[in-house]
C-alpha cells in the first residue's frame, strides 16, 4: 500500500496550500458547468452535481494520474440525451452502470495502453478543437430567457465588463504573486464587487439551485432482461468509449505537463468504478474534464489532495453552502473558463505547421473540425487515428525495394527491403522478371518481413508464376513471425522456404 495513494505518500513533497486553493478553484468552475450539462441532457440539476462529486472523489483517490480532475462532463452527457428522451432517467442510470463495467474491464485487461496509438497530429487536433468548444460554450452565458436570446443594453455591458475584469486579474496577478491561484482571486474579487455594489447580473442561481442532500442510493428501476440490455448497451458502449478516450488523452497531456507518467489502466478502473457508483447514486456519470484539469494544474496542484478538496467542496456546497455559491456571478466563471480555453489551445501547432508533413497537418485540422462540429471527441480521434494509419501504410508501401544479383552458381537473388503487406504487394510483384530469370531464384527476407495475409497471397501467386514457367522459387531468412504466418496458411498456399540457421535477436534473451 506504500505510495498507493499519493495523498498519503509522505515521501512526496506536497504544497498543501496550493493543493487546497486549487481544489477550491476547481470546485467553483466545475459546479456551473456540471449544472449546465445536466440541464442540457434533460436531467434534474442535482444529478450533475452528484456526478461531479462522485467522479471527482473516486478518481482523485484511486485514479492513475494525480492532478487530473474528473466530473460530469459534456462529452458523455451528449451520448445519453437520446436515451433520456426515449426511455427516461432510470434507463440512463442503467446505461451508466454498464458503461462503468465496460471501463473496468478495459483496465483489468490492460487495454488502456492502446491510447499510445494516437499520433501527435491527432492530439493537436483534439486539444485545439476542445479549446474552441470550451470557449464557444461560454458564449451561451450571454443569452437569457427561455428563447435564449442574446443580452442587450446594460445587462450585456455589465456582463462584458465583469468578464473583462476577471480575465485581467487572471492575466496580471501572476506577474506579482503566485502565492494564490489567480482564478480563485478573480472569482472572489468579482463576487465581492457584485455583492458590495448590488450589481444586477446573472449568477449561478439563474442556472439552477445547488441545494440538496447526500447522493441517494437508487437502483435503476428497469427490468433486468435482454430487452433492457438491447436498449442500453449501444449507449453504454459509446459512453464508455468516449469517456475513456477523453480521460486517457487528458492523462497523456498531464504527463507532458508534469514530466512524469500516469497509469492508464488504473485510470480506466477508477473511471469505471466512479461511473458504476454514479448509476447507483443518482449521478449522470462522466469522465476527465480537461478544462478543470488545466485550472487545477495552473493553480500549482500536482497531488491527489486538490481533487479530493474539489469533490468535498462540491458536497459541502450541496449540503450547506448553496445560498452563498448561488450568488457567484457567472461572469467570473465565464472569464476563468475563457482563459482556460486560451491556455488549452496548442499555439505551438501554428509555429510548426510549416515544418510538419502535409498529411499530418490535414489530419490535425480535420480532427479539430470534427471535434468542434460534432462535439464527438471519440469519433474525431478514431477518424484521426485511421487516417494517420492509412498515411503510414501508404508511405511504408512506397519504401519496399529489391537488390538483385546473380551468384557464381547462376542463382538469382532478390534481397527485399521494407515490409511486405497489403499496401506494398503491388510494388513487390512488379520487381520480379519471371520470364528472363534463371532456373532457380531466391528471395531473401533478411531485411524484410511478411506482415499479413496479403503478403502471403502475393508470395503464393509469385511461386505459381515461377512454377508455370518451369522455374523454382525459394524464400530465405524469413523471420519467426513470418514463418508462423506461412505455416498457418499452408493449406491454401504453396511456397518453398529454405532452411535457415536460427538468428537470435537482442530481445530473445531478454525476459519480461
Amino acid at each position: 500500500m506504500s505510495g498507493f495513494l499519493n495523498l498519503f505518500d509522505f515521501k512526496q513533497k506536497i504544497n498543501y496550500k496550493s493543493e487546497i486553493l486549487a481544489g477550491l478553484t476547481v470546485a467553483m468552475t466545475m459546479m456551473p458547468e456540471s449544472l449546465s450539462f445536466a440541464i442540457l441532457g434533460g436531467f434534474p440539476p442535482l444529478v450533475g452535481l452528484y456526478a461531479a462529486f462522485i467522479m471527482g472523489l473516486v478518481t482523485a483517490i484511486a485514479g492513475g494520474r494525480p492532478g487530473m480532475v474528473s466530473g460530469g462532463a459534456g462529452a458523455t452527457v451528449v451520448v445519453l440525451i437520446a436515451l433520456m428522451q426515449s426511455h427516461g432517467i432510470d434507463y440512463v442510470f442503467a446505461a451508466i452502470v454498464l458503461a462503468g463495467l465496460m471501463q473496468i474491464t478495459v483496465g483489468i485487461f490492460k487495454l488502456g495502453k492502446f491510447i499510445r496509438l494516437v499520433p501527435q497530429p491527432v492530439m493537436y487536433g483534439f486539444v485545439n478543437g476542445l479549446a474552441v468548444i470550451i470557449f464557444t460554450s461560454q458564449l451561451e452565458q450571454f443569452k437569457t430567457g427561455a428563447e435564449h436570446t442574446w443580452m442587450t443594453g446594460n445587462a450585456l455591458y455589465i456582463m462584458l465588463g465583469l468578464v473583462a475584469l476577471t480575465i485581467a486579474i487572471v492575466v496580471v496577478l501572476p506577474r506579482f504573486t503566485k502565492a494564490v491561484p489567480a482564478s480563485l482571486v478573480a472569482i472572489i474579487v468579482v463576487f465581492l464587487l457584485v455583492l458590495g455594489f448590488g450589481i444586477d447580473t446573472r449568477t449561478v442561481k439563474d442556472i439552477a439551485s445547488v441545494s440538496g442532500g447526500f447522493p441517494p442510493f437508487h437502483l435503476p428501476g428497469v427490468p433486468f432482461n435482454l430487452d433492457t440490455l438491447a436498449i442500453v448497451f449501444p449507449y453504454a458502449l459509446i459512453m464508455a468509449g468516449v469517456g475513456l478516450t477523453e480521460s486517457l488523452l487528458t492523462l497523456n497531456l498531464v504527463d507532458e505537463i508534469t514530466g512524469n507518467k500516469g497509469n492508464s489502466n488504473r485510470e480506466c478502473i477508477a473511471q469505471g468504478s466512479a461511473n458504476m457508483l454514479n448509476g447507483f447514486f443518482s449521478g449522470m456519470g462522466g469522465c476527465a474534464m480537461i478544462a478543470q484539469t488545466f485550472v487545477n494544474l495552473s493553480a500549482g496542484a500536482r497531488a491527489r489532495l486538490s481533487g479530493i478538496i474539489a469533490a468535498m467542496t462540491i458536497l459541502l456546497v450541496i449540503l450547506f453552502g448553496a445560498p452563498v455559491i448561488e450568488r457567484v456571478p457567472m461572469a467570473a466563471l465565464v472569464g476563468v473558463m475563457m482563459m482556460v480555453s486560451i491556455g488549452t489551445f496548442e499555439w505551438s501547432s501554428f509555429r510548426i505547421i510549416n515544418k510538419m508533413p502535409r498529411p499530418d497537418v490535414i489530419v490535425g485540422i480535420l480532427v479539430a473540425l470534427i471535434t468542434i462540429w460534432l462535439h464527438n471527441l471519440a469519433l474525431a480521434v478514431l477518424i484521426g487515428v485511421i487516417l494517420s494509419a492509412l498515411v503510414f501504410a501508404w508511405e511504408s508501401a512506397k519504401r519496399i525495394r529489391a537488390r538483385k544479383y546473380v551468384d557464381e552458381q547462376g542463382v538469382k537473388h532478390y534481397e527485399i527491403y521494407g515490409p511486405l503487406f497489403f499496401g506494398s504487394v503491388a510494388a513487390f510483384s512488379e520487381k520480379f522478371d519471371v520470364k528472363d530469370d534463371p532456373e532457380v531464384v531466391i528471395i531473401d527476407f533478411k531485411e524484410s518481413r511478411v506482415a499479413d495475409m496479403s503478403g502471403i497471397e502475393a508470395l503464393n501467386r509469385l511461386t505459381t508464376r515461377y512454377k508455370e514457367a518451369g522455374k523454382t522459387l525459394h524464400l530465405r531468412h524469413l523471420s519467426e513471425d513470418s514463418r508462423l504466418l506461412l505455416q498457418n496458411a499452408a493449406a491454401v498456399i504453396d511456397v518453398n522456404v529454405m532452411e535457415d540457421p536460427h538468428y537470435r535477436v537482442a530481445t530473445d534473451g531478454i525476459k519480461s
Side-chain angles (χ1 to χ4, degrees), residues 78-93:
V78 171
V79 174
L80 301 171
I81 292 176
L83 181 61
M84 177 66 183
Q85 294 173 343
S86 60
H87 289 84
I89 198 164
D90 279 312
Y91 279 83
V92 169
F93 290 147

Side-chain angles (χ1 to χ4, degrees), residues 18 45 105 107 109 116 172 254-255 274 331 338 351 362 365 471:
S18 294
T105 303
F109 287 97
R116 299 171 191 166
V172 174
V254 178
D255 285 351
M338 283 184 171
R351 293 197 300 270
I362 294 173
I365 294 174
K471 301 173 183 180

Side-chain angles (χ1 to χ4, degrees), residues 20 82 141-142 149 209 254 297-298 317 402 412 418 424 433 467 495:
I20 292 170
Q141 302 304 328
F142 289 88
T149 56
S209 172
V254 178
L297 296 177
S298 63
V317 166
K412 187 167 184 180
S424 61
D433 186 1
K467 186 179 294 185
V495 295

Side-chain angles (χ1 to χ4, degrees), residues 44-344:
L46 278 176
V47 169
L49 292 184
Y50 289 152
F53 163 63
I54 296 171
M55 292 295 304
L57 184 63
V58 173
T59 57
I61 293 175
R65 175 70 267 177
M68 198 165 87
V69 178
S70 296
T76 53
V77 170
V78 171
V79 174
L80 301 171
I81 292 176
L83 181 61
M84 177 66 183
Q85 294 173 343
S86 60
H87 289 84
I89 198 164
D90 279 312
Y91 279 83
V92 169
F93 290 147
I96 293 170
V97 171
L98 183 57
L101 185 60
M102 292 175 180
Q103 292 174 329
I104 291 174
T105 303
V106 170
I108 290 174
F109 287 97
K110 301 185 183 302
L111 302 178
K113 60 187 177 183
F114 287 108
I115 196 65
R116 299 171 191 166
L117 296 176
V118 178
Q120 191 62 41
V122 177
M123 291 285 285
Y124 280 140
F126 163 77
V127 172
N128 291 344
L130 202 56
V132 174
I133 289 176
I134 293 171
F135 188 91
T136 55
S137 65
Q138 304 312 308
L139 301 180
E140 291 296 315
Q141 302 304 328
F142 289 88
K143 297 179 180 180
T144 59
E147 298 180 357
H148 279 66
T149 56
W150 291 99
M151 290 180 177
T152 57
N154 288 336
L156 176 61
Y157 300 140
I158 291 172
M159 187 77 171
L160 289 172
L162 294 175
V163 169
L165 175 61
T166 304
I167 292 174
I169 294 172
V170 172
V171 172
V172 174
L173 184 63
R175 299 179 183 178
F176 298 97
T177 179
K178 295 183 179 179
V180 290
S183 300
L184 182 60
V185 173
I187 292 172
I188 293 173
V189 168
V190 174
F191 172 71
L192 294 176
L193 182 66
V194 170
L195 191 65
F197 288 93
I199 298 174
D200 183 19
T201 187
R202 195 175 191 191
T203 63
V204 171
K205 189 175 183 180
D206 293 321
I207 297 179
S209 172
V210 298
S211 178
F214 193 84
F217 178 75
H218 172 73
L219 281 174
V222 298
F224 289 88
N225 53 38
L226 291 177
D227 290 337
T228 300
L229 181 62
I231 293 170
V232 302
F233 180 82
Y235 296 97
L237 182 63
I238 297 173
M239 178 184 172
V242 169
L244 287 185
T245 299
E246 185 161 358
S247 297
L248 295 181
L249 287 177
T250 303
L251 183 144
N252 275 4
L253 292 173
V254 178
D255 285 351
E256 293 178 8
I257 293 171
T258 60
N260 51 54
K261 186 172 176 57
N263 187 323
S264 58
N265 295 312
R266 179 172 168 176
E267 185 63 33
C268 293
I269 294 174
Q271 292 281 337
S273 301
N275 274 316
M276 288 191 72
L277 285 175
N278 267 287
F280 291 125
F281 284 90
S282 305
M284 66 182 183
C287 62
M289 303 181 76
I290 192 169
Q292 278 67 30
T293 297
F294 273 92
V295 169
N296 195 37
L297 296 177
S298 63
R302 291 297 183 272
R304 300 182 183 274
L305 181 58
S306 59
I308 295 173
I309 292 293
M312 296 307 298
T313 299
I314 292 172
L315 178 62
L316 291 175
V317 166
I318 295 172
L319 298 177
F320 310 110
V324 175
I325 298 302
E326 288 175 354
R327 300 181 70 177
V328 172
M330 284 304 302
L333 303 176
V334 168
V336 168
M337 296 305 292
M338 283 184 171
M339 289 306 299
V340 166
S341 71
I342 293 172
T344 301

Side-chain angles (χ1 to χ4, degrees), residues 423-443:
S424 61
V425 291
F428 170 80
S429 300
E430 291 172 357
K431 298 185 183 300
F432 296 90
D433 186 1
V434 177
K435 180 180 178 181
D436 297 326
D437 278 349
E439 298 297 318
V440 179
V441 175
I442 295 176
I443 305 179

